[in-house]
Amino acid sequence: MGAMSSPPFGGSNDMPAVFPDWSPYEDLDSAARAYLRDPEVALDALFGVLRGASVLCFTLERFVNEVNGVWQEVVICDGSRLVLWHGEDVAPGDGPVGSMTSSLRVVPLSTVTEVGCRRRLTRTPTGQARVDSIDVYLLLSSVDDAVPPPGLEEEGRPALRHDALRFGKTLDDGGPGQIARLEEFSRVVASLVGRPTL
């Protein structure tokens, strides 16, 4: 009798709250297989767009949403663009049990107008500074088409808000390794913004 295998996606809801750490893995394939629930779905979509381009840096995110289930994200920079994959379980009633969405977005680096990185530092008992959380944003030249909250409209026109990509890690959500990898991701992207693309 063969070993039991878990369903390819949309499996049971008793997922652990803490996922394996992807930060020790330097290559995307190993990191995705260690961390994502659905690495094959993500890697197939990403490599279909990369088509042999080098992965200069990447960051991964995964959490359990109380309504929809597992939410997963991979963001890659290949030197000229950001390639984002997002996988999310479909809410109960919105499709067959075990359904998920798999979305891909490609953003040219030329549309990134600003990179911001905010680190929160705490002091250890010995007085050494330690990063305990990091927030990174990439402001894009494209406009966010979401409806603004009431009161933020100008003279009957909605205020223009630029689209932004946001990422965060904390000691509790990701740990020091993932904090360092997200900071590395932000530095690589920041070093490329405003320069001729590779």
Side-chain angles (χ1 to χ4, degrees):
M1 186 167 162
M4 286 182 56
S5 62
S6 60
F9 48 77
S12 72
N13 287 335
D14 55 359
M15 289 276 174
V18 179
F19 305 113
D21 185 10
W22 61 267
S23 67
Y25 301 95
E26 292 297 320
D27 67 292
L28 175 64
D29 189 85
S30 299
R33 291 183 190 285
Y35 187 69
L36 298 178
R37 187 194 63 196
D38 304 296
E40 291 82 9
V41 175
L43 294 170
D44 183 55
L46 291 164
F47 289 137
V49 171
L50 285 170
R51 304 244 177 218
S54 297
V55 175
L56 298 184
C57 59
F58 61 89
T59 186
L60 305 178
E61 184 60 78
R62 174 178 167 181
F63 62 83
V64 175
N65 177 319
E66 291 177 11
V67 177
N68 292 8
V70 177
W71 187 97
Q72 307 165 89
E73 182 178 58
V74 181
V75 184
I76 296 168
C77 178
D78 70 358
S80 62
R81 60 202 171 152
L82 297 167
V83 183
L84 300 92
W85 175 82
H86 166 235
E88 185 174 7
D89 289 346
V90 173
D94 285 352
V97 173
S99 298
M100 69 175 281
T101 60
S102 172
S103 306
L104 200 63
R105 181 179 181 189
V106 178
V107 177
L109 272 183
S110 59
T111 66
V112 177
T113 60
E114 188 176 313
V115 178
C117 178
R118 181 174 180 257
R119 302 181 308 158
R120 187 174 70 192
L121 304 171
T122 56
R123 298 240 177 244
T124 64
T126 60
Q128 188 174 13
R130 178 180 82 164
V131 180
D132 72 0
S133 73
I134 184 170
D135 291 301
V136 172
Y137 72 88
L138 309 179
L139 191 63
L140 306 178
S141 58
S142 54
V143 175
D144 184 355
D145 57 5
V147 177
L152 289 182
E153 297 178 0
E154 299 175 22
E155 302 169 17
R157 292 179 309 165
L160 291 181
R161 289 182 43 199
H162 284 276
D163 203 358
L165 305 173
R166 299 185 183 279
F167 314 99
K169 293 287 182 182
T170 66
L171 288 179
D172 292 334
D173 174 24
Q178 291 181 40
I179 289 173
R181 290 294 296 273
L182 180 53
E183 185 168 11
E184 173 194 356
F185 174 84
S186 73
R187 287 177 174 172
V188 171
V189 173
S191 74
L192 296 168
V193 167
R195 294 184 172 188
T197 56
L198 299 178

